[in-house]
Amino acid sequence: MSSIKSIAIVGLGYVGLPIALLASKKGYVVFGVDNDQKKIKSLSEKKSYIGDISDKDIVNTKAIFTDDASIVKKADAVIICVPTPVSPEKIPDLGPVIGATSAVAPHITKGTLVVIESTVNPGVCDEVVTPLLEKLSGMKVGTDIYLAHCPERINPGDPKWDVSNINRVVGANSKPELDMAVALYESIIDANIKPMGSLKEAEAVKIVENSFRNINIAFVNELAMSFHKLGINLENVIDGAATKPFAFMAHRPGCGVGGHCIPVDPYYLIEYAHDHGFEHEFLRLASNINESMPRFTVDLLIESLNKINMPLKDTKVALLGLSYKANVGDGRESPAKVIKDLLTEAGADLTIYDPYFIDKSTVKSLDKALSAVDAILVATGHDEFKKIDHKLLNKHGVRVVIDGRNIYRSTKDAMIKSGVIYQGIGV
Ligand code: SAJ
């Protein structure tokens, strides 16, 4: 058991709120801190704003929620779970981490363990967080206060893996700090907590695991563009390769890579390595390939419309999906946004529908979205869109389907047979 009795969780988003509720359930006194008044208000009204958390979870928790960071003086441990975005120019933005660290440092007491869960590049804990903590607390990291890094591994919308059962890694620069942090996480999470050799090693783990995903998606996306010209069905080829019981991990082509993790995290390493004299050409190339997929997808639409002598300009097109991921309402870094801009620039007569973004949709139902359009472009694989079949398309006179998430793999032949022009990504 850890010597820690009370924990402050700073940042109550899709990472912080679940761990705050779980730690409270495990018997810790928990103070949830966020500077977003809307979040604090919602929590005080016992209303969840996180898809994976129910209002009932909020009603039942003993955690205390506040926007007052000084409450950390009552906490034995402080876990920081704030976003680490990139700018439009793909430059890492440590603003939220610096802000949260600066807010808590003046109030933490001697012996407090600070854990950074935000995804950061190697070096941030040593070169940014430590100096800030020491300057603003007047104490020494490693002797008066303690610092560890435990990168978050939340997968929004995942029915199987959640904060309670996902393995974690924990890193610190001294054994006492490491032991304290490992004991804390072992007391909260029913999964393997792997100690790492340093803060930097733990920071590197998260960047590597998400860069791994990003480059593998880029691999199949490049194959999709190649196989489109070669007339080979890439999804079938991936299915074939996936029969290999070892040394192959299937990833799928699509209209782009969105979210707060996969397209973002590699840039934290790219920039840090660049500042230290190394160019991650491969990581950059992979990101460039993924970032080119919205253009490739719109070009497929133009190519398909040209087959029936229709220009994209003034053609009625329904963009189905704004979210970066199926069945969640999250638009961060979504390729659908890029596709929307490309369609608008090309002068398409755009209808937009995403059931998770009704406020950003131009129509309120799928049926409305399909009526009076010549073409649809599916950018998100929401379950609702899977009910579109050749009958519905023919009923509405839709002539072109661009399947940005290859969700019609098994029904495309019937669409084509009914006279619809179908084009998937590498399919
Ligand atoms: N995507 C593809 N092809 C794929 C997989 C994903 O194009 O084969 C696209 C998705 O459409 C989406 C983007 O990539 O636009 C990201 O998808 P994701 O499934 O990786 O979803 P995320 O962003 O929620 O990633 C999270 C990450 N979790 C953490 O960082 C803690 C990631 O590490 C997980 O691998 C991922 O969930 C997961 O496995 O679902």
Side-chain angles (χ1 to χ4, degrees):
M1 268 306 276
S2 73
S3 57
I4 290 163
K5 298 287 174 265
S6 56
I7 307 173
I9 312 274
V10 182
L12 298 173
Y14 72 93
V15 175
L17 188 56
I19 193 144
L21 299 179
L22 181 60
S24 177
K25 217 182 266 182
K26 294 285 183 174
Y28 286 98
V29 172
V30 172
F31 308 110
V33 183
D34 201 298
N35 62 10
D36 178 350
Q37 291 298 335
K38 278 193 294 181
K39 287 191 173 74
I40 299 300
K41 183 170 179 298
S42 178
L43 293 167
S44 65
E45 292 163 358
K46 308 294 180 195
K47 287 271 174 275
S48 172
Y49 45 81
I50 302 284
D52 299 340
I53 290 176
S54 67
D55 294 347
K56 193 159 159 282
D57 296 328
I58 312 291
V59 169
N60 295 338
T61 187
K62 293 195 179 74
I64 299 157
F65 299 112
T66 176
D67 61 352
D68 175 9
S70 70
I71 201 161
V72 301
K73 61 180 173 295
K74 295 182 181 174
D76 304 325
V78 179
I79 301 179
I80 295 179
C81 309
V82 293
T84 44
V86 287
S87 70
E89 299 70 37
K90 308 298 182 193
I91 303 297
D93 173 7
L94 288 173
V97 168
I98 291 168
T101 304
S102 305
V104 302
H107 307 289
I108 57 176
T109 54
K110 191 170 167 55
T112 299
L113 168 67
V114 176
V115 182
I116 304 292
E117 282 213 4
S118 305
T119 303
V120 291
N121 57 270
V124 168
C125 286
D126 289 325
E127 299 159 22
V128 178
V129 175
T130 295
L132 212 45
L133 282 174
E134 293 184 334
K135 179 164 161 267
L136 298 177
S137 72
M139 291 185 276
K140 191 98 181 76
V141 169
T143 45
D144 305 318
I145 50 179
Y146 310 114
L147 178 62
H149 180 57
C150 180
E152 62 91 4
R153 275 185 176 161
I154 290 286
N155 182 22
D158 190 320
K160 180 180 176 202
W161 297 107
D162 62 38
V163 65
S164 69
N165 63 8
I166 295 174
N167 295 335
R168 305 289 289 270
V169 298
V170 175
N173 288 346
S174 76
K175 190 158 181 344
E177 291 171 293
L178 184 62
D179 292 347
M180 199 174 178
V182 169
L184 175 63
Y185 278 87
E186 282 179 341
S187 71
I188 299 172
I189 291 168
D190 304 323
N192 178 265
I193 308 298
K194 179 176 178 50
M196 302 303 295
S198 65
L199 288 168
K200 275 191 173 179
E201 277 189 8
E203 291 165 328
V205 164
K206 178 63 185 291
I207 300 292
V208 165
E209 63 194 35
N210 280 1
S211 298
F212 169 87
R213 190 163 175 81
N214 198 52
I215 58 179
N216 276 281
I217 296 168
F219 171 50
V220 292
N221 279 337
E222 183 179 75
L223 284 175
M225 293 186 278
S226 157
F227 282 23
H228 174 65
K229 290 197 178 302
L230 302 177
I232 300 171
N233 184 318
L234 175 62
E235 291 277 10
N236 292 345
V237 171
I238 292 168
D239 289 348
T243 61
K244 183 178 178 186
F246 50 85
F248 182 80
M249 187 180 202
H251 286 73
R252 299 290 170 179
C255 59
V257 174
H260 42 277
C261 306
I262 305 306
V264 168
D265 295 353
Y267 282 108
Y268 273 74
L269 176 57
I270 289 169
E271 286 304 315
Y272 188 65
H274 168 77
D275 293 345
H276 289 73
F278 181 80
E279 289 308 329
H280 270 287
E281 290 171 19
F282 179 50
L283 292 185
R284 265 191 209 286
L285 175 60
S287 293
N288 291 344
I289 289 170
N290 288 336
E291 288 156 23
S292 76
M293 295 314 286
R295 176 74 265 171
F296 175 74
T297 306
V298 170
D299 288 346
L300 289 179
L301 174 61
I302 293 168
E303 191 186 295
S304 302
L305 287 171
N306 287 349
K307 284 181 186 161
I308 44 176
N309 302 316
M310 291 181 78
L312 180 51
K313 188 167 169 21
D314 299 331
T315 293
K316 294 181 186 311
V317 178
L319 173 60
L320 300 183
L322 292 173
S323 186
Y324 83 90
K325 190 174 187 177
N327 308 322
V328 294
D330 189 335
R332 278 173 292 186
E333 306 288 324
S334 178
K337 280 184 194 160
V338 180
I339 290 170
K340 175 173 165 270
D341 293 345
L342 290 171
L343 292 173
T344 306
E345 278 158 36
D349 181 353
L350 209 44
T351 295
I352 295 169
Y353 175 63
D354 185 318
Y356 294 85
F357 284 99
I358 286 297
D359 57 318
K360 294 194 170 80
S361 301
T362 59
V363 291
K364 305 301 174 209
S365 74
L366 182 59
D367 215 55
K368 280 265 186 309
L370 294 175
S371 57
V373 293
D374 304 296
I376 64 171
L377 190 158
V378 177
T380 315
H382 290 320
D383 287 347
E384 183 182 355
F385 300 158
K386 290 176 182 167
K387 67 185 177 194
I388 295 174
D389 62 10
H390 68 285
K391 292 189 196 100
L392 203 55
L393 293 168
N394 292 167
K395 174 188 155 196
H396 290 290
V398 177
R399 304 183 62 189
V400 172
V401 171
I402 304 299
D403 183 0
R405 293 293 174 200
N406 295 341
I407 58 175
Y408 303 116
R409 274 185 69 188
S410 56
T411 55
K412 69 178 178 69
D413 292 340
M415 290 179 180
I416 294 165
K417 215 164 145 212
S418 75
V420 168
I421 294 175
Y422 170 90
Q423 184 59 60
I425 310 296
V427 174

